[in-house]
Structure formats: C-alpha cells, structure tokens
Amino acid sequence: MDTTMKQAPASKATQAAVMSAIVWGLGQFYNRQFVKGALLLATEIMMLLYLIPALPQAVWGIVTLGETPTGRVKVGKMYQMVQGDHSIFLIIEGLITIIVFLLFIWMFVAVVRDAYRVRQTIERGDQENNFIQSLQYVGENKFAQLLLALPATGVLFFTIMPIVFMIMLAFTNYSAPKHIPPANLVDWVGFKNFTDLLTLGTWSETFYGVLTWTIIWAIIATVSCYFGGILVALLIQQAGIKFKTMWRTIFIIPYAIPQMVSFLIMRNMFNGEFGPINQYLSYFGLGKVPWLSDPFWAKVTVLMVNTWVGIPVSMVLVLGVLTTIPKDLYEAADVDGASAWQKFRAITMPMVLYSTAPILIMQFAGNINNFNVIFLMTGGNPANGDYQYAGSTDLLVTWLYKLTLDNHKYSMAAAIGIIIFIIVASLSIWNYRRTRSFREEDMIQ
C-alpha cells in the first residue's frame, strides 16, 4: 500500500504532462489552473493556425528556392505579367517560419514540464500559486528575465536571423545579371562561391591582395593608435607638464568631432591638385605628393589619418590605467636605482597592457572592419586593374560593400562576409586566450 501511495503522485504527474503534450492547457486544467490553461490553449491555437499552412511552404521554399520566375505570359493576343516565385523572399519567409517553429517546440517542452511539476507539487500536499500569485512571483523574482525577453526576441529576429540569411546566401548564385529575382530564380550552388574566391583567376587574385592589405592595415593601425596613445598619455602625465586638463582636451578633440566630418576635411586637405598640404609643400620648393592617387601614398595617407583619429581613444584608456598604478611601485624602483626606461618596462607597460589587452584585441578586430576611414577618404581607390570590383586601398569590408551595393554580387559578398567573421573571431579568441588578462583574471581585483 505504501508503494502504491508513492507511485500515485508520479502517475498523476505523468498524466498531466501527457495531457498538456496532446493539447496545451489540458494538464493545467487538470491541475485546476484554469486561467493559465486558457492562455496556453489560445497560444497554441494561434501558433498552429500560422504554422500548419506556413511550415510546409517554408520547407518547400528553402529546399527549392522557387520553381516559376516572374514573367510575361501570352494570354490570347495580349501578354500579361504573371507573378512567380521570389527566391529571396522564400528564404526570408522560411527562416521566420522555422524560428517560430523552434519557439513552438521550446514552449511545448516548457508547457509539459510545467504541468508535470505543478502536479507533483499538488500531490506532495504543497500549495501551488494561483494565477495572481504567479504574476506576483514573476514580478518579484523574474523581472529581469521578463525585461530581457523583448530585446532577446529582437536579437533573434534582427541579428541572428540576418546572419543565418547571409550564410545561406553564400551557398547560392544570387548575383547579377542572371540570377536576380523576381525575373530570375536563385539556385543552391554549394561551396562554389568559396572555391571561386580562393582559386578562380581574378577573384582569387583580388581576394588574396585585399586580404593581405587588410591584415597589414589592421596591424599597423592598431599598433600606431595604441602606442601613440600610450606615448601621449605618458607625456601628459609627466610631473613637469602644466595645464594637463588643457592638453587632454586638445588631444580628445579629433575623437569628439564626428568622423565623417573629420575624414571629409582630411580628404580635401590631402587632395593632390588643390589640397592645402600640397600647396604648402610647393611653397618650400617640394613637389606635389599624390596622397590619394598613388596606391602606396594612399595607403600611407589613410594610416596617418586613422592614427590621428584613433590616438585619443587609447590616450584616454591609458590615462585611466596610469592613475590606478600604486606609487609605491615607482618609489621602490627609485630606491633600487631603476632608470625611467626600466620603470616603464617593468611597471608601467605590464600594468597598462594587462588592463587594456582585451580592448587592444577589440581595436584590432575593429580595424579589420574599419569601413569609415577607407570609404570616406579614398572610396577604396586608386583603381587597380588586376582586381575584380576593388581598388588598391579597399579592405575586405569595403570590397564587400562594393560587391553588394554597386555590382549586385550578393552571393560572393556573403561568402566574403563569412570569411571576415571567421578571421576576426579566430584571431580575437586566440589572442585573448593568450593574454594575462584571461589567464590571471582573478589575481588583480
């Protein structure tokens, strides 16, 4: 008899879970939670009304990408425009439907577990919260999760879904002129875009050339801004420097001004024909420098301008770190007779690097995707006859922009986007895991 009493709660809990698995809310009705059961039943009805017709269409659309393009059909003596399938819309609608279906599965599991748990609570003789008490419990204990649910849903549909959409485009032939809907359909081509990008003629030559310049640019831009900011911060912090607030204000101005304004002004200043910099050089008998029209000088120019804009950020970060370094360390170094360089190498630089290493890695990743300075200063120019839709100063991200907006090579641009993500993510994770900030994060608090 005792065995029967012990098994009865589990049996009734399973019964409640099965009822909710068959129809949402039945298990809750069985547990006498009528308001919750009604809400769950209404939710399931609405989701099924959407999913039953939409899910087969979504699977068909993603698998086939459509069968009939939009075109003119002769009807009698007249031609009429007949609406066909739009491959891109089919992908987007299919992704939305699949996401809703996954949410449905997640809610299904949650509803079944809720019915099972509540029935176990009732059979143990404990008092289960009613609907009003449940709302109060959520407001008091789950308020943060409730507020995070809305932005999490936004991230799901407006961040994750576009990323998945881009990944899917990389395996299609969505590009001009032959595969642009609605007049034409798009097909799945597997890894063809990646193999073309890595091995096919001008595509591979452009990719390796732009990739090489992107890596060189990211390294030089990051190092120059970082160590330039350290140098400026150390100079400002020197004991003999007066008007420190004024110096900090002056050096932060380039960052405070909108970058678009700064880059457009600098573009005019470095103009090879009428720019003031070349005019000043001519006053001293020096020839005009092709700042933006020569491939080498254009790269030098964008690096200099990026350094001018990027140093203030590193300077502010380093100034904050310098104020946290204990003065006792420097006093002990003075007692030991350490020189200024030895104190910098043994005390200042390790402490600064320890605190700013993650930000340094973030700056490196940001410079790989530094669209503004290249686009606004040179537009990727000067032109390079050996490149496919790219100029001599184009980074991977600006080349991607040109392929997408100017030349409608969407599938190839999507493949480049995936490669950029792999490069940035791999380098960032690998470098961060090698820093002392990661290995010894518990040592300095």
Side-chain angles (χ1 to χ4, degrees):
M1 183 173 180
D2 294 339
T3 304
T4 304
M5 290 294 292
K6 291 179 181 178
Q7 291 178 349
S11 176
K12 290 184 178 180
T14 302
Q15 185 178 0
V18 171
M19 293 174 67
S20 284
I22 296 173
V23 177
W24 290 9
L26 283 185
Q28 281 70 24
F29 286 132
Y30 179 68
N31 295 334
R32 305 187 64 81
Q33 293 181 308
F34 301 109
V35 178
K36 182 190 289 186
L39 290 175
L40 292 175
L41 179 61
T43 302
E44 183 183 30
I45 292 173
M46 288 188 295
M47 295 188 76
L48 289 178
L49 287 175
Y50 170 76
L51 286 173
I52 290 175
L55 189 58
Q57 175 70 16
V59 174
W60 171 84
I62 289 180
V63 171
T64 65
L65 297 183
E67 297 176 349
T68 306
T70 298
R72 293 181 178 274
V73 176
K74 189 174 183 179
V75 180
K77 297 182 179 180
M78 303 289 292
Y79 282 91
Q80 295 181 356
M81 184 66 69
V82 177
Q83 186 70 33
D85 300 321
H86 196 297
S87 301
I88 303 305
F89 290 170
L90 289 175
I91 294 176
I92 296 173
E93 292 168 1
L95 282 177
I96 293 174
T97 303
I98 290 174
I99 290 175
V100 174
F101 177 70
L102 293 177
L103 289 175
F104 177 84
I105 297 298
W106 175 77
M107 292 183 64
F108 172 83
V109 174
V111 169
V112 172
R113 291 180 62 183
D114 175 77
Y116 185 86
R117 180 189 59 81
V118 171
R119 193 64 200 181
Q120 280 188 324
T121 302
I122 294 174
E123 295 300 325
R124 286 197 304 266
D126 298 332
Q127 182 66 34
E128 179 63 26
N129 292 336
N130 58 33
F131 184 72
I132 300 299
Q133 291 172 331
S134 298
L135 290 180
Q136 293 175 346
Y137 173 81
V138 170
E140 294 174 359
N141 300 284
K142 303 292 182 180
F143 186 70
Q145 291 89 329
L146 187 64
L147 286 183
L148 288 173
L150 183 60
T153 305
V155 169
L156 180 63
F157 282 97
F158 299 111
T159 300
I160 296 177
M161 194 188 81
I163 291 175
V164 175
F165 174 69
M166 182 197 71
I167 293 173
M168 296 176 70
L169 284 187
F171 298 93
T172 69
N173 58 0
Y174 181 33
S175 63
K178 296 182 179 180
H179 298 282
I180 297 293
N184 305 101
L185 295 175
V186 175
D187 303 311
W188 295 110
V189 296
F191 289 91
K192 183 178 184 300
N193 293 317
F194 295 93
T195 56
D196 289 349
L197 195 62
L198 299 175
T199 62
L200 183 62
T202 54
W203 280 114
S204 62
E205 184 176 354
T206 307
F207 173 73
Y208 290 121
V210 174
L211 175 62
T212 302
W213 161 237
T214 300
I215 299 299
I216 293 173
W217 153 268
I219 293 173
I220 297 177
T222 303
V223 170
S224 61
C225 292
Y226 184 72
F227 287 100
I230 291 176
L231 177 61
V232 174
L234 290 174
L235 291 175
I236 292 176
Q237 286 295 99
Q238 290 296 311
I241 298 295
K242 298 181 180 180
F243 310 111
K244 295 181 184 294
T245 302
M246 181 192 72
W247 291 113
R248 285 195 292 264
T249 303
I250 290 175
F251 283 108
I252 203 64
I253 287 176
Y255 183 73
I257 297 174
Q259 287 191 1
M260 185 182 71
V261 176
S262 299
F263 291 145
L264 292 178
I265 291 174
M266 298 298 290
R267 180 175 182 172
N268 288 327
M269 292 181 65
F270 282 101
N271 186 282
E273 296 298 325
F274 55 82
I277 293 179
N278 270 350
Q279 291 183 12
Y280 286 129
L281 292 176
S282 63
Y283 293 155
F284 294 99
L286 302 175
K288 293 184 177 180
V289 178
W291 297 108
L292 301 176
S293 58
D294 179 78
F296 173 77
W297 283 108
K299 293 176 180 179
V300 172
T301 303
V302 293
L303 284 169
M304 289 192 301
V305 173
N306 183 74
T307 301
W308 175 72
V309 173
I311 279 179
V313 181
S314 299
M315 179 198 71
V316 172
L317 293 173
V318 174
L319 282 173
V321 175
L322 292 178
T323 58
T324 64
I325 299 177
K327 294 183 179 180
D328 297 345
L329 297 177
Y330 293 106
E331 293 174 356
D334 290 331
V335 171
D336 293 337
S339 64
W341 166 251
Q342 290 173 328
K343 288 188 288 186
F344 171 78
R345 187 182 62 181
I347 301 175
T348 306
M349 193 60 201
M351 296 293 289
V352 169
L353 190 60
Y354 185 93
S355 300
T356 60
I359 299 173
L360 177 63
I361 297 169
M362 183 181 67
Q363 288 179 343
F364 176 78
N367 279 318
I368 289 180
N369 291 317
N370 196 333
F371 179 85
N372 290 342
V373 61
I374 301 296
F375 182 78
L376 295 174
M377 282 293 298
T378 66
N381 295 320
N384 191 322
D386 298 327
Y387 284 179
Q388 188 89 333
Y389 308 111
S392 297
T393 58
D394 268 317
L395 306 177
L396 286 175
V397 66
T398 57
W399 185 31
L400 184 153
Y401 174 87
K402 289 182 176 180
L403 288 173
T404 304
L405 273 297
D406 297 339
N407 302 285
H408 308 293
K409 303 291 183 181
Y410 302 105
S411 57
M412 193 64 74
I416 295 171
I418 294 175
I419 292 174
I420 292 174
F421 169 76
I422 293 173
I423 293 172
V424 173
S426 301
L427 290 176
S428 299
I429 294 173
W430 181 75
N431 281 302
Y432 179 64
R433 291 181 65 87
R434 290 174 58 87
T435 61
R436 289 182 59 202
S437 300
F438 176 79
R439 298 196 305 266
E440 303 174 7
E441 59 183 351
D442 295 330
M443 294 185 63
I444 295 182
Q445 300 293 338

